[in-house]
Amino acid sequence: MGVKEIRTVVKCDFSKPAWEQPGFHNRWHPDIPAHATIANNEVVKIECFDWTGGQIKNNDSADDIKNVDLTRVHYLSGPFHIETAEPGDVLLVEIQDVQPFQDQPWGFTGVFHKNNGGGFLDDIYPEAAKAIWDFEGIFCSSRHIPHVRFPGLIHPGILGCAPSAEILAEWNRREGELVAANTLSRDVAKLPEPQNAHAGGASEEIKAKVAREGARTIPGRPEHGGNCDIKNLSRGSKIYLPVHVPGAKFSVGDLHFSEGDGEISFCGAIEMAGIITIKFTVIKDGMAQMGLKSPMYLPGPVEPHFGPGRYLTFEGFSVDEHGKQHYLDATVAYRQTCLRAIEYLRRYGYNDYQIYLLLSAAPVQGHIAGIVDIPNACTTLGLPMDIFDFDIRPEVKPVKMDMGSCAFTSDKM
């Protein structure tokens, strides 16, 4: 009896732009037509572009990071019609494998310029920077961040089912209210943007509607998941997704070779193009059965192990770098946690941008330690010491080395 071949339901054509191909889209909208049909309980392979659709190149300049067109992201594979799925069901997604393309064994991590995307620490690190990572089986290393090598916890940053028209309207309403009330000197949400909206193989009429109404793919959202960037949604994981439209219209993309908790530099994982293998199972009336209002998951058995006592863990509190006290603000606390790690690793010769990129890409463990002890929230960041080829234990006197540099823009070199 022959082995049944796993079907590939969409392929990336690297000879032409992602935005010219029908099997991909970069907005959430229920009217984007399904690219292919997948049977209940079927296992399929899905090819994915990197999240920028190929805008970032394997070179030593961060000009492409600085000038990236953020109206063109993300390019998701799909949507796919899952047979028998109806609103109220739950779609069980089992990630069986994720791999880079064999002829593209590399990925990138970027610090976005403060005026074009920014990042978690962009008030302190406003310039664009980039690191290229080379893949060697399950391991990666970078010419831009030397003396570091670690196994990747490979995973998709985005997966989710299409919203219903009602849910899409609710997203746009509540995010519109947030934008209208914004008093900060930065964007707090990205509302529908017609420029460079891509609706897959839709008709011209539907394309225009999606461009007007389609939700940006930048945030994750409670009703369907989306761009959650959860590093532990790796091989062997099972994700339970609410179904809101007939056929579910599932989409996936934004593949990562590795990521730290928080993806702090925004383009903060090791971004890559690749192939994901998924099994789909429809659980009838699952939303009512599970009381499911947002996705949940069971992590898989694959994870880098560095052993007990092999994480050097930094603490941070909700007192910012200017000495201002904040009330139980875990975001402020985690910013401070990251800064403590940057200050520590600076002693070995790395520049701050190299460390910022490393904390975004390496499998660090970010946790909330306490959010009840007024006025300070406490967060932690565990840095695996074994990713370095030198000893970073606190009791060992640091030796400053020539660490080269990450890639900067041509005007900063």
Side-chain angles (χ1 to χ4, degrees):
M1 185 175 178
V3 177
K4 184 178 179 181
E5 183 178 351
I6 298 176
R7 183 166 63 106
T8 299
V9 290
V10 67
K11 289 181 176 290
C12 297
D13 182 351
F14 292 100
S15 69
K16 59 183 179 181
W19 49 89
E20 294 180 1
Q21 300 183 46
F24 307 89
H25 62 100
N26 66 354
R27 301 290 190 271
W28 291 112
H29 197 286
D31 293 345
I32 298 174
H35 177 72
T37 296
I38 299 171
N40 187 14
N41 293 312
E42 185 177 3
V43 178
V44 299
K45 291 182 180 292
I46 300 170
E47 295 189 359
C48 301
F49 287 101
D50 81 79
W51 76 292
T52 71
Q55 295 185 62
I56 309 304
K57 306 304 181 185
N58 186 347
N59 58 31
D60 299 321
S61 170
D63 288 350
D64 49 8
I65 290 285
K66 180 178 180 180
N67 300 317
V68 65
D69 186 344
L70 294 177
T71 66
R72 291 192 181 277
V73 299
H74 300 88
Y75 286 98
L76 304 182
S77 300
F80 302 106
H81 178 96
I82 313 300
E83 290 182 344
T84 77
E86 295 291 339
D89 294 344
V90 164
L91 184 64
L92 170 56
V93 175
E94 182 179 346
I95 300 173
Q96 297 193 344
D97 198 13
V98 190
Q99 294 290 337
F101 287 101
Q102 288 188 358
D103 58 352
Q104 296 187 41
W106 65 276
F108 62 90
T109 306
V111 176
F112 277 8
H113 194 280
K114 185 177 180 179
N115 295 331
N116 189 29
F120 194 49
L121 304 176
D122 60 11
D123 285 344
I124 302 169
Y125 304 113
E127 302 298 333
K130 181 173 75 176
I132 298 296
W133 299 86
D134 295 309
F135 306 149
E136 308 164 78
I138 67 170
F139 291 94
C140 64
S141 59
S142 174
R143 62 185 182 268
H144 295 124
I145 309 175
H147 299 285
V148 169
R149 186 173 184 262
F150 54 85
L153 186 55
I154 194 167
H155 63 278
I158 299 179
L159 39 74
C161 299
S164 64
E166 294 76 17
I167 288 173
L168 176 62
E170 171 63 10
W171 291 353
N172 289 335
R173 180 200 65 77
R174 70 190 184 210
E175 291 171 24
E177 286 185 353
L178 181 65
V179 170
N182 180 29
T183 59
L184 303 175
S185 58
R186 65 184 308 135
D187 290 338
V188 295
K190 290 291 189 181
L191 301 181
E193 169 57 71
Q195 182 180 355
N196 294 323
H198 182 43
S203 67
E204 291 303 317
E205 180 182 359
I206 295 299
K207 286 180 182 178
K209 185 178 182 185
V210 170
R212 291 193 308 271
E213 303 172 353
R216 298 300 303 274
T217 57
I218 293 170
R221 296 178 175 93
E223 293 86 353
H224 84 145
N227 191 25
C228 295
D229 293 315
I230 300 170
K231 76 173 191 289
N232 295 95
L233 287 183
S234 187
R235 290 168 293 177
S237 297
K238 295 181 177 180
I239 304 97
Y240 300 83
L241 297 174
V243 174
H244 300 293
V245 299
K249 289 191 173 180
F250 171 86
S251 300
V252 64
D254 188 25
L255 302 187
H256 300 159
F257 189 85
S258 178
E259 178 194 308
D261 283 330
E263 202 184 19
I264 60 174
S265 70
F266 181 25
C267 188
I270 300 180
E271 310 285 351
M272 69 174 206
I275 306 166
I276 185 168
T277 305
I278 295 177
K279 180 179 180 180
F280 295 93
T281 303
V282 177
I283 301 175
K284 302 305 294 182
D285 299 316
M287 290 179 66
Q289 172 189 321
M290 302 174 194
L292 194 69
K293 293 185 177 179
S294 59
M296 58 185 179
Y297 73 97
L298 295 170
V302 179
E303 184 172 357
H305 292 282
F306 297 101
R310 300 308 298 167
Y311 287 87
L312 180 58
T313 300
F314 301 86
E315 298 181 9
F317 300 87
S318 47
V319 178
D320 68 24
E321 61 271 21
H322 306 294
K324 180 179 178 180
Q325 179 72 62
H326 297 259
Y327 174 71
L328 295 181
D329 192 324
T331 300
V332 171
Y334 200 54
R335 281 173 55 96
Q336 296 307 304
T337 311
C338 295
L339 289 173
R340 299 296 85 78
I342 290 172
E343 291 160 359
Y344 186 86
L345 292 178
R346 187 189 294 155
R347 306 177 310 152
Y348 300 101
Y350 292 116
N351 68 50
D352 285 18
Y353 280 87
Q354 287 175 302
I355 307 167
Y356 189 12
L357 289 162
L358 177 62
L359 296 180
S360 298
V364 303
Q365 299 280 3
H367 296 288
I368 294 176
I371 50 172
V372 296
D373 299 319
I374 60 172
N376 279 327
C378 175
T379 62
T380 63
L381 185 149
L383 176 66
M385 294 190 290
D386 296 334
I387 70 176
F388 300 93
D389 66 8
F390 56 93
D391 197 337
I392 69 163
R393 287 178 299 163
E395 59 267 34
V396 177
K397 185 177 180 179
V399 176
K400 202 163 208 175
M401 295 178 278
D402 180 3
M403 294 299 191
S405 179
C406 54
F408 287 106
T409 56
S410 53
D411 61 332
K412 300 295 179 182
M413 292 179 182

